[in-house]
Amino acid sequence: MALIRTENVCKSFNDVNVLTDINITVSQGEVVCIIGPSGAGKSTFLRSLIQLEKITSGKIYIDEELLLYRKNNETIFRMEPVKYKSLLLEMGMVFQSFNLFPHKTAVENIMLAPVNVKKIPKLSAEKQARELLGRVGLQEKADQFPARLSGGQQQRVAIARALAMEPKIMLFDEPTSALDPELVGEVLNVMRGLAESGMTMLVVTHEMGFAREAADRVLFMSDGSVTEEGDPETIFTAPENQRTKQFLNSILDV
Amino acid sequence: MRPVYKRIINVAAVVMLLAACVLLVFHKPAREQLESRISSELITEAGKNFSGVYYDFGIFNITRGRNVKTAVTETFIGGAGGIISVNEGFGHYLADVVLWLPALAGGAQVTVSLTICAVLAGLFLSVFLALGKISKNPVISGLCGAYIFFFRGSPLLMQLFFIYYGLPVINPALTINNKFFAAFVAFTLNTGAYCAEIIRAAIQSIDKGQFEASRVLGLTYGQTMRIIIIPQSIRRLLPPVANEFIMILKDASLVSIIALADLTHVTRSISSSASNVMVYIPAMIIYLIITAFFSAIFTNLEKRFSIYQ
């Protein structure tokens, strides 16, 4: 079953095409990594899926339901508001810059949305939050403010915060790009665990090692479109597209 | 060990001070005794022009007889079992200051309560103005922008004057009889406009990622503002609000124009009735004390709101 499907998604900022005809499908339980050079539109695509950016045209299906259909910058169809919101909440998102709420402790960060959006009683939300912190290995940091946590710990809290809304799909927007090299591993481990538990994941990343070993499928994006797609082994060892070859060469050389 | 030792010294000092005060309270002369020191020559000579004042300041008391026509005065301070006469020099000035204090304190009370009420109400108003100004609805944002433009762009003195004297002319139903309330309305409307800009700047200085994270988690706009954005902007808006508070405290002197007895008004009337401009010195010191007190409160608040950093 396809949890995410897009048809001809295009996006332009003042006549500059950022995304051109993106057609992808992410099935239940699948881990898909999007790789590609900076400025290829990877993040914009992820942000368009969760409606942080408005697409210019195209169709977005979430959980086999048409969420949004736009054409020439005009909305042709949009799911009715209640369902729209619930479909969007099927996606959880982790940002490059964590975006934790600095005035709330780790556990409060995680409880906040369940309590205020899902109206779950505080006590059970806190219990769930502490369990999630255990899952990302930060039980003992529950009552710390984000400023007291390292980058890797903050990102793990951010993952737990997204998981607290029990999404079906997790979107990761370069989750390790803002981290010191020695902190990348702890975040990738949490993501690997998540992938093994069967979570559907769409990951924009520059961590080729992670993409190669954890992904079921890799999409290569350049200049706003998906230019190559396949299982990680094929993409990394025998890429067909010239752009992919170039990119992998330049990255793996370093 | 050391803190305990320090504490004992502190407690002992307070106890001794209190004991000294109690002793002084019981050893000040009676009112009649103090007043009887005013010479009968002054009283007879002044006749109808005689004015006498008596103030009891707890640990000491003070009396003054005055011939209003000739400005001849006799002042006596009583305390610690004795009475001294201060008819000239620095002692006389100090006695003047002490005698002005009750009136000055009354004026200061008006100034402080007007400032606190106006800034609190203005802050409340300004949250809506700020949210309105950053609203995507052009009508709401235009209205709020116009409001802010008007109240920041025209003199507070004129606004105050117009609210007290002008509104009744437009429509008698808009008459505000209570001077304090009229001043409160004018100052609230004015400071609301300034605080709205402070709040808008503070909100817009919050990282965009905070809005995005809230949105992705399903929080509504109202929840995002209430739970995420405004609490974070409070720390950033405290310093400029403290500034605005102190400005309003001093601008409160404008209420003289509607004859509300604030600290400045009281000072001016003392200065003209006693024909002594030196009353401005204690008045300014009182302003400084009030300012210092509220600056300390704001510094404290700032610390309290930055615990998470």
Side-chain angles (χ1 to χ4, degrees):
Chain A
M1 195 173 92
L3 282 187
I4 300 179
R5 189 152 58 85
T6 65
E7 275 176 23
N8 303 321
V9 165
C10 297
K11 159 113 193 133
S12 50
F13 288 112
N14 318 320
D15 293 343
V16 179
N17 290 330
V18 189
L19 300 174
T20 348
D21 288 333
I22 310 265
N23 295 291
I24 65 147
T25 309
V26 180
S27 314
Q28 176 130 33
E30 211 179 9
V31 177
V32 177
C33 284
I34 306 181
I35 60 170
S38 308
K42 310 182 297 288
S43 289
T44 309
F45 175 61
L46 219 57
R47 292 166 57 82
S48 301
L49 282 179
I50 204 158
Q51 303 304 313
L52 288 177
E53 305 276 354
K54 242 184 197 162
I55 58 172
T56 314
S57 63
K59 289 180 185 167
I60 297 174
Y61 295 85
I62 303 295
D63 216 353
E64 304 279 16
E65 300 209 54
L66 181 59
L67 178 79
L68 184 72
Y69 174 26
R70 280 168 67 81
K71 204 171 173 184
N72 295 329
N73 237 338
E74 272 171 51
T75 306
I76 311 273
F77 174 84
R78 186 179 147 140
M79 183 60 85
E80 50 96 9
V82 177
K83 183 82 185 167
Y84 179 83
K85 194 167 176 181
S86 78
L87 280 182
L88 280 185
L89 284 178
E90 291 192 7
M91 293 181 280
M93 179 145 182
V94 175
F95 298 88
Q96 179 177 352
S97 48
F98 330 134
N99 295 343
L100 288 182
F101 305 129
H103 59 309
K104 302 275 180 195
T105 61
V107 74
E108 287 169 344
N109 260 280
I110 301 172
M111 295 162 59
L112 199 139
V115 169
N116 289 290
V117 180
K118 285 192 170 174
K119 311 290 179 200
I120 289 175
K122 270 197 173 153
L123 274 178
S124 52
E126 182 172 347
K127 189 164 163 271
Q128 180 212 19
R130 288 186 190 273
E131 278 168 18
L132 281 167
L133 277 173
R135 197 163 154 196
V136 298
L138 288 172
Q139 227 151 4
E140 74 287 3
K141 300 283 185 190
D143 299 304
Q144 298 279 6
F145 285 105
R148 288 297 186 82
L149 304 177
S150 73
Q153 291 169 337
Q154 288 190 46
Q155 192 62 297
R156 281 144 71 197
V157 174
I159 294 174
R161 179 176 71 176
L163 290 175
M165 289 301 281
E166 294 168 334
K168 292 187 182 169
I169 313 151
M170 285 284 282
L171 308 180
F172 290 85
D173 184 10
E174 303 196 26
T176 56
S177 297
L179 295 178
D180 290 340
E182 76 269 24
L183 303 178
V184 169
E186 59 190 75
V187 173
L188 291 183
N189 278 337
V190 168
M191 290 168 62
R192 235 170 253 135
L194 209 53
E196 278 158 22
S197 74
M199 175 61 80
T200 310
M201 290 161 60
L202 187 54
V203 186
V204 168
T205 186
H206 288 298
E207 296 295 329
M208 296 306 145
F210 176 81
R212 190 162 182 174
E213 129 212 21
D216 297 312
R217 198 147 49 89
V218 172
L219 306 180
F220 178 80
M221 267 182 85
S222 65
D223 302 324
S225 50
V226 178
T227 45
E228 190 161 0
E229 180 176 354
D231 69 283
E233 269 325 292
T234 324
I235 297 262
F236 283 105
T237 51
E240 285 171 8
N241 187 294
Q242 196 54 38
R243 251 340 239 113
T244 319
K245 275 182 201 163
Q246 253 175 21
F247 174 74
L248 287 175
N249 276 337
S250 67
I251 270 202
L252 299 176
D253 271 357
V254 176
Chain B
M1 277 315 278
R2 219 182 143 163
V4 177
Y5 166 73
K6 257 189 182 170
R7 205 167 182 176
I8 290 173
I9 292 210
N10 283 341
V11 171
V14 170
V15 168
M16 278 160 70
L17 208 68
L18 281 177
C21 287
V22 170
L23 276 177
L24 286 171
V25 168
F26 285 108
H27 278 82
K28 71 180 181 223
R31 178 172 183 170
E32 298 75 28
Q33 209 184 335
L34 193 63
E35 283 179 336
S36 67
R37 292 289 294 272
I38 298 171
S39 64
S40 47
E41 287 92 346
L42 177 71
I43 300 174
T44 35
E45 198 179 299
K48 268 194 288 180
N49 290 322
F50 179 77
S51 94
V53 288
Y54 170 84
Y55 273 109
D56 186 341
F57 291 95
I59 56 172
F60 68 98
N61 47 11
I62 195 163
T63 191
R64 165 174 286 172
R66 185 162 192 251
N67 181 337
V68 180
K69 208 168 179 187
T70 59
V72 174
T73 61
E74 286 179 11
T75 311
F76 298 94
I77 301 176
I83 296 175
I84 52 167
S85 156
V86 279
N87 283 337
E88 54 193 1
F90 190 64
H92 186 254
Y93 176 62
L94 275 187
D96 277 347
V97 170
V98 169
L99 284 174
W100 292 327
L101 273 183
L104 291 178
Q109 203 188 334
V110 171
T111 298
V112 169
S113 37
L114 176 63
T115 307
I116 292 178
C117 294
V119 171
L120 285 181
L123 271 176
F124 183 74
L125 170 69
S126 65
V127 174
F128 297 99
L129 284 171
L131 292 178
K133 195 173 176 190
I134 56 180
S135 155
K136 279 179 189 145
N137 182 325
V139 178
I140 294 177
S141 121
L143 279 176
C144 293
Y147 176 94
I148 293 169
F149 174 70
F150 175 75
F151 279 97
R152 285 204 314 167
S154 61
L156 175 54
L157 185 67
M158 282 194 176
Q159 291 162 16
L160 175 65
F161 191 85
F162 192 76
I163 283 174
Y164 191 63
Y165 296 110
L167 288 186
V169 177
I170 296 177
N171 186 340
L174 295 172
T175 310
I176 303 176
N177 283 318
N178 185 313
K179 287 173 183 162
F180 183 87
F181 189 67
F184 166 76
V185 170
F187 279 70
T188 300
L189 295 180
N190 183 276
T191 195
Y194 279 93
C195 289
E197 286 296 275
I198 293 173
I199 291 181
R200 183 185 60 79
I203 287 176
Q204 289 180 336
S205 75
I206 302 291
D207 181 42
K208 240 182 106 193
Q210 295 288 309
F211 287 94
E212 291 183 346
S214 310
R215 200 158 135 202
V216 163
L217 288 170
L219 298 179
T220 62
Y221 179 77
Q223 286 174 326
T224 305
M225 282 298 167
R226 187 167 52 82
I227 309 171
I228 309 298
I229 306 300
I230 292 180
Q232 286 185 62
S233 41
I234 284 181
R235 204 198 73 82
R236 296 185 194 191
L237 59 81
L238 273 175
V241 164
N243 210 14
E244 175 65 13
F245 185 91
I246 289 169
M247 297 287 284
I248 288 291
L249 184 81
K250 292 177 296 172
D251 283 349
S253 60
L254 297 176
V255 298
S256 281
I257 195 173
I258 58 169
L260 176 60
D262 80 310
L263 181 50
T264 300
H265 190 80
V266 169
T267 308
R268 279 174 56 191
S269 59
I270 291 175
S271 155
S272 58
S273 69
S275 50
N276 189 344
V277 288
M278 296 314 256
V279 64
Y280 281 94
I281 294 175
M284 284 190 284
I285 291 174
I286 291 177
Y287 270 114
L288 290 179
I289 292 171
I290 299 172
T291 313
F293 177 73
F294 283 103
S295 301
I297 287 184
F298 275 106
T299 311
N300 202 323
L301 277 177
E302 237 178 278
K303 272 192 200 135
R304 206 178 284 184
F305 276 100
S306 29
I307 40 159
Y308 59 81
Q309 280 175 331

